[in-house]
Amino acid sequence: MVAISNLRRMYGEVAAVNDVSFSIDHGDIVGLLGHNGAGKTTVMKMLTGYLEPTSGAITIDGLSLAAHRRKIQSKIGYLPENCPVYPEMSVASYLDYGATLHGVPASRRPELIRAALSKTALIDKADQPIATLSRGYRQRTGVANAILHNPSLLILDEPTNGLDPTQIQHMRELIGALAKNATIIISTHILPEVQAVCNRAIILNAGRMVFDSRLDELGAGNRLMLTLDQAADRVTKTLAAIDGVLAVERATDETDHPESTFFIHLNGGHGANRIAADIAHTVHENGWQLFGLSRHSRTLESLFAEISSREEVTP
């Protein structure tokens, strides 16, 4: 459905996006994540044809964006960051204007506008001027405009920005329903939103892609967490020699703490319970004090913390 190859965007000497490549299948809901300035919005603008890449290629439905821009744009629904709208228009007139820009025939516009209003729970706001709406309702108006022409690719930049908890739940349900007929790319800073609606996460850092995984694979991380009263060097060497242990990684760099926590990465072909028993036996044999030994699954929050800690130690 979507394929990006060696995408790069320069602003003078600064690489906002640097050699990013990935592909997305039809029906996927992908969370595009990263800290401020990571390159998320720049990637989205290039996907929509709003920005030209400095180099690299974008293909959507087998068509090159460079060669078939207008045709591809007719398949895309886009909610930009900060949801630009015309405040003097009513919600319905704004959607009618949007449908006109998408080339929707006049005979189909009333039906599609009603459907978009219904999906975003805006029926009772249809005749209200956008200037009088709350931030949350303006955001929903932007989403309605993005989905009204039934796009096959939906790109949403911070779709839950300004929504209350009830509206956020409604937006989650809407995104899930839309994914039955569309591919969806979502950028957000709210990690629980990604875990609630997405089946895959891509993380950018300083313009580069540093992580790409399905969320079910992330949650099934094959590693143990061990907490001891020992320093790092002796523990890592001893435990790394155990059959089935791929690597031993210290969780923190604190040197004055009486406890040390380690992540023990396991070989998928060995039973985790058997390896855990061998680790406990080794700890006992060495006379170390064991404070904790348990399975450990990575979350997006812990992954972001790992990426941030790598940034801090990078010279």
Side-chain angles (χ1 to χ4, degrees), residues 66 79 137 176:
L79 175 69
Y137 277 114

Side-chain angles (χ1 to χ4, degrees), residues 111-124:
E111 170 195 353
L112 293 178
I113 290 171
R114 280 195 299 270
L117 290 170
S118 177
K119 289 175 182 177
T120 53
L122 285 170
I123 292 291
D124 60 343

Side-chain angles (χ1 to χ4, degrees), residues 149-211:
H149 60 299
N150 296 324
S152 58
L153 174 60
L154 190 58
I155 300 174
L156 305 175
D157 202 347
E158 301 286 349
T160 59
N161 189 20
L163 302 186
D164 63 36
T166 300
Q167 293 169 340
I168 288 174
Q169 181 59 39
H170 180 267
M171 186 62 65
R172 290 176 180 176
E173 294 171 356
L174 174 60
I175 290 171
L178 292 171
K180 296 177 181 178
N181 300 302
T183 300
I184 302 177
I185 302 173
I186 300 171
S187 175
T188 180
H189 289 93
I190 306 173
L191 299 184
E193 287 303 302
V194 176
Q195 292 176 305
V197 302
C198 298
N199 55 29
R200 179 177 165 193
I202 293 173
I203 300 179
L204 300 179
N205 179 36
R208 293 184 178 274
M209 188 174 73
V210 295
F211 178 82

Side-chain angles (χ1 to χ4, degrees), residues 241-262:
I242 295 175
D243 189 30
V245 172
L246 294 178
V248 181
E249 170 192 0
R250 189 172 182 182
T252 66
D253 291 324
E254 297 177 6
T255 57
D256 57 349
H257 200 278
E259 302 173 7
S260 295
T261 298
F262 303 87

